[in-house]
């Protein structure tokens, strides 16, 4: 007699859960639009856009094949529907934001499935949605946000009750394989998935490990084969990445810079999640605690990553998996009154516009520089050598679009050579530029402050000053410099 009432209650609960998840996704999107760069300011973003145009995978470790190939399909569809080639970065940015924002409702779903309860699950979702550094990263053509969402999707599947445990393990492994196709370090979360469900027999756990590995191998292997098929030079690109990383490790860097930035990035990702998760670790009494161990160890290991000083985004996936459930569980216990768990939301909401204003002021010069770059490049000789830093990928993308769509360029197709800080930066840049002049090329030196970020880039710009001074009156050398202070 009570079955219809039970069914109705179940339907109402399902509808309520969907509404909460939709709200969390919307909050994550709104946070990213409020605090994000709204422009391709990350070094890798425009490189990914160029790869999306060509469909060629490679350049960074195993090349993030799913990200590149999916972006390639998206650009082809956008162009077929009449999009301008100059708008493709924005198309990809918003498309990947839509996927990355799913991390917030997926975090809530995971918290619910491991038994944290509805209020704690809402806290978990809000922790992810309102992460300042996470919101900033989602609003870019980058792999970190989408990879986080797919890892959480795999864990949600793993924590669920499936009709077939074997199918559950295969599907979970396949989802981790997809995340691996966005960012290779996602493979770590095969261990995270293996930690769920708890309480199974050793024989079942061994079988699940094999099935997780099989699902992962099938999907990841297919993506790597697709990358090789799309780019015959794929193995060589991996070898170039290894050589570049080896050269980068030998660079001298200020002592303590990486450690200080790493600590700053942990706070920037979410001061509330970090503090609450650390408090939880003083007494980790939840049965799901093994779930967060692999990600926590991965988060600690990333403190040794050689490029950690550049961005918090490298920590995003590990940080979310390591801190979200512990933080939500601790807040649920420490603030047990109804609604009290959300008390931290008000300062978090206040922090976002403050951070947004600060980031906007800091990023505006570079954003305006990159936006004006295509028009500025139209005056550059087509065979010029261009020396710049953060806009380097924008120069290459502009050249790619100009050659492929000459009608959209209205100038001779460029054949520019770029000399940019990175793995190919010469030991003696002045000698290389002198050789460029001897072979008849025009050299463009972009010496503007906004084009060169802190640290290694600024040190490399300093090495150009003697060459610029020696050729100040040389018509073959064009210098883009900031106006004197006080000049209008």
């Amino acid at each position: 007699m009570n079955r219809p009432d039970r069914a109705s209650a179940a339907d109402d609960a399902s509808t309520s859960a969907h509404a909460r998840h939709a709200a969390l996704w919307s909050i994550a999107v709104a946070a990213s639009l409020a605090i994000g760069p709204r422009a391709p300011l990350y070094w890798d973003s425009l490189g990914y856009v160029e790869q999306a145009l060509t469909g060629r995978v490679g350049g960074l470790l195993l090349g993030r094949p799913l990200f590149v190939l999916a972006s390639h399909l998206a650009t082809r569809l956008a162009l077929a529907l009449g999009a301008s080639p100059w708008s493709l970065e924005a198309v990809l940015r918003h498309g990947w934001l839509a996927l990355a924002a799913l991390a917030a409702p997926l975090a809530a779903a995971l918290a619910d499935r491991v038994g944290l309860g509805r209020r704690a699950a809402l806290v978990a979702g809000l922790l992810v949605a309102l992460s300042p550094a996470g919101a900033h990263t989602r609003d870019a053509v980058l792999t970190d946000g989408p990879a986080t969402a797919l890892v959480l999707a795999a864990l949600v599947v793993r924590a669920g009750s499936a009709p077939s445990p074997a199918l559950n393990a295969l599907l979970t492994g396949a989802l981790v394989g997809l995340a691996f196709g966005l960012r290779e370090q996602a493979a770590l979360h095969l261990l995270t998935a293996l930690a769920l469900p708890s309480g199974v027999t050793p024989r079942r756990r061994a079988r699940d490990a094999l099935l997780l590995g099989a699902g992962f191998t099938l999907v990841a292997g297919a993506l790597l084969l697709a990358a090789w098929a799309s780019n015959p030079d794929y193995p060589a690109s991996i070898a170039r990445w290894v050589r570049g990383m080896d050269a980068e490790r030998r660079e001298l860097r200020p002592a303590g810079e990486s450690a200080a930035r790493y600590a700053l990035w942990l706070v920037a990702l979410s001061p509330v999640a970090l503090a609450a998760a650390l408090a939880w670790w003083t007494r980790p009494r939840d049965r799901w605690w093994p779930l967060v161990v692999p990600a926590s160890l991965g988060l600690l290991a990333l403190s040794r990553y050689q490029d950690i000083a550049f961005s918090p985004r490298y920590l995003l996936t590990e940080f979310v998996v390591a801190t979200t459930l512990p933080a939500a569980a601790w807040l649920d216990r420490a603030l047990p009154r109804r609604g009290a768990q959300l008390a931290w939301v008000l300062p978090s909401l206040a922090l976002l516009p403050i951070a947004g204003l600060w980031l906007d002021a800091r990023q505006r010069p570079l954003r305006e520089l990159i936006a004006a770059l295509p028009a500025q490049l139209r005056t550059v000789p087509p065979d010029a050598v261009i020396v710049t830093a953060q806009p380097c990928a924008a120069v290459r993308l502009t050249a790619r679009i100009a050659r492929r769509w000459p009608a959209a360029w209205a100038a001779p197709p460029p054949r520019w050579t770029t000399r940019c800080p990175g793995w190919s930066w010469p030991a003696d840049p002045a000698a290389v530029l002198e050789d460029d002049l001897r072979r008849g090329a025009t050299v463009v030196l972009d010496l503007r402050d906004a084009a060169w970020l802190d640290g290694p880039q600024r040190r490399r710009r300093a090495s150009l000053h003697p060459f610029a001074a020696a050729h100040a009156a040389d018509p073959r050398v064009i210098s883009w410099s900031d106006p004197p202070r006080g000049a209008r």
Side-chain angles (χ1 to χ4, degrees):
M1 294 294 292
N2 293 329
R3 287 180 183 173
D5 292 338
R6 291 179 181 175
S8 176
D11 290 342
D12 290 345
S14 177
T15 301
S16 176
H18 290 323
R20 288 197 304 273
H21 292 167
L24 286 169
W25 180 86
S26 300
I27 292 169
V29 170
S32 292
L33 295 178
I35 201 174
R38 303 182 303 282
L41 300 187
Y42 285 96
W43 177 275
D44 293 339
S45 290
L46 285 171
Y48 283 134
V49 177
E50 185 180 358
Q51 285 182 283
L53 285 174
T54 63
R56 288 177 60 85
V57 177
L60 294 173
L61 193 50
L62 299 180
R64 290 76 197 266
L66 177 60
F67 191 80
V68 172
L69 296 175
S71 296
H72 180 57
L73 291 176
T75 57
R76 292 185 66 175
L77 177 61
L79 291 167
L81 293 175
S84 163
W86 303 106
S87 71
L88 294 177
E89 186 276 334
V91 170
L92 292 173
R93 175 160 34 96
H94 290 112
W96 286 114
L97 168 59
L99 175 58
L102 289 173
L106 286 166
L110 179 60
D112 184 58
R113 290 198 173 187
V114 300
L116 280 183
R118 187 173 69 181
R119 289 198 304 267
L122 180 60
V123 170
L126 287 171
L127 284 170
V128 175
L130 298 177
S131 162
H136 195 271
T137 299
R138 289 192 297 261
D139 187 43
V141 185
L142 292 171
T143 63
D144 313 82
T148 302
L150 280 179
V151 165
L152 288 172
L155 298 179
V156 168
V157 169
R158 182 66 176 154
S161 54
S164 168
L167 182 60
N168 176 290
L170 277 171
L171 181 56
T172 300
L175 286 169
V176 177
L178 289 175
F180 171 84
L182 297 174
R183 194 159 190 84
E184 294 85 355
Q185 71 197 59
L188 166 72
H189 298 288
L190 287 172
L191 297 176
T192 308
L194 193 58
L196 283 172
S198 60
V200 299
T201 64
R203 182 177 179 181
R204 160 79 183 278
R205 192 168 295 281
R207 188 200 68 179
D208 283 358
L210 290 174
L211 291 171
L212 282 166
F216 173 84
T217 301
L218 286 172
V219 172
L223 290 171
L224 295 178
L225 287 175
W228 198 346
S230 70
N231 180 13
D233 191 40
Y234 181 61
S237 74
I238 299 171
R240 283 195 297 272
W241 178 85
V242 171
R243 290 194 298 271
M245 294 295 281
D246 287 341
E248 198 174 86
R249 287 190 193 95
R250 292 191 291 271
E251 289 184 2
L252 295 177
R253 302 188 182 187
E257 179 187 51
S258 293
R261 291 288 182 89
Y262 174 76
L264 175 63
W265 298 153
L266 292 176
V267 175
L269 280 160
S270 177
V272 174
L274 178 64
L278 289 174
W280 176 88
W281 270 110
T282 63
R283 196 177 178 189
R285 60 191 183 192
D286 295 281
R287 65 178 180 81
W288 44 261
W289 70 268
L291 170 68
V292 300
V293 171
S296 299
L297 294 176
L299 189 63
L300 290 173
L302 282 168
S303 66
R304 306 298 300 167
Y305 178 49
Q306 65 192 54
D307 287 338
I308 198 60
F310 290 116
S311 176
R313 67 186 180 88
Y314 304 125
L315 303 173
L316 183 60
T317 302
E318 276 60 59
F319 184 89
V320 167
V321 177
T323 66
T324 302
L325 294 185
W330 185 86
L331 288 168
D332 190 50
R333 288 197 287 264
L335 303 171
R337 260 190 322 150
R338 181 178 178 83
Q341 299 97 325
L342 306 184
W344 60 270
V345 171
L346 292 179
S348 296
L349 287 174
L351 178 63
L352 280 174
I354 293 171
L357 290 172
W358 180 79
L359 285 169
D360 180 69
R362 182 177 174 84
Q363 296 166 351
R364 188 182 303 118
L366 178 58
R367 187 168 60 244
E368 292 175 350
L369 185 153
I370 290 178
L373 194 62
Q376 190 173 24
L377 288 170
R378 282 187 170 89
T379 65
V380 172
D383 60 349
V385 173
I386 301 175
V387 187
T388 186
Q390 204 64 15
C392 184
V395 174
R396 293 169 180 163
L397 179 62
T398 300
R400 175 77 60 182
I401 293 174
R403 290 194 297 268
R404 186 165 174 178
W405 290 277
W409 183 241
R415 304 179 304 278
W416 302 315
T417 300
T418 54
R419 308 242 185 257
C420 307
W423 300 336
S424 61
W425 186 258
D428 187 351
V432 173
L433 295 176
E434 292 288 359
D435 287 342
D436 291 329
L437 291 177
R438 279 193 287 272
R439 65 178 176 80
T442 299
V443 173
V444 178
L445 298 177
D446 185 358
L447 302 176
R448 296 169 291 185
D449 275 348
W452 302 76
L453 300 186
D454 297 338
Q457 289 189 6
R458 293 289 176 91
R459 291 193 290 272
R460 284 168 173 167
R461 183 180 66 163
S463 70
L464 297 171
H465 289 155
F467 175 86
H471 293 275
D474 191 336
R476 300 171 299 168
V477 178
I478 301 169
S479 291
W480 295 340
S481 303
D482 294 313
R485 290 187 178 181
R488 294 186 178 180

